[in-house]
């Protein structure tokens, strides 16, 4: 009878410890995600501005290339 009570107590404690471990892991994951978001957001903004800047500069580069070719031929 004592053995069954000890097994039940250990199973109960194991479930409680697993619940605590999941809560700690979830909290730590939220903290890590928060810091990654803080670090990644400025990098994302810079990359978007750089990529959109290249998209905007492409027609300008083509126009300047056409002007350069036309000016070199005459």
């Amino acid at each position: 009878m004592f053995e069954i009570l000890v097994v039940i107590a250990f199973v109960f404690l194991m479930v409680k410890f697993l619940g605590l471990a999941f809560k700690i892991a979830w909290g730590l994951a939220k903290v890590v995600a928060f810091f990654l978001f803080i670090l990644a957001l400025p990098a994302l903004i810079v990359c978007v501005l750089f990529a959109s800047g290249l998209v905007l500069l492409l027609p300008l580069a083509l126009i300047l290339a056409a002007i350069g070719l036309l000016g070199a031929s005459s």
Side-chain angles (χ1 to χ4, degrees), residues 43-60:
L44 177 67
I45 290 171
V46 168
C47 289
V48 166
L49 289 176
F50 183 70
S52 63
L54 287 179
V55 170
L56 293 175
L57 287 178
L58 183 64
L60 182 62

Side-chain angles (χ1 to χ4, degrees), residues 65-74:
I67 291 173
L69 287 174
L70 290 174
S73 65
S74 47

Side-chain angles (χ1 to χ4, degrees), residues 1-72:
M1 184 67 184
F2 180 70
E3 184 179 345
I4 294 173
L5 291 175
V6 170
V7 169
I8 290 172
F10 276 113
V11 169
F12 175 75
L13 288 175
M14 182 183 72
V15 170
K16 287 291 186 184
F17 286 140
L18 282 175
L20 180 63
F22 282 128
K23 284 183 182 180
I24 290 172
W26 180 249
L28 186 63
K30 287 193 291 188
V31 169
V32 169
F34 177 73
F35 283 119
L36 285 177
F37 185 70
I38 287 174
L39 293 174
L41 189 61
L44 177 67
I45 290 171
V46 168
C47 289
V48 166
L49 289 176
F50 183 70
S52 63
L54 287 179
V55 170
L56 293 175
L57 287 178
L58 183 64
L60 182 62
L62 290 173
I63 291 171
L64 291 176
I67 291 173
L69 287 174
L70 290 174

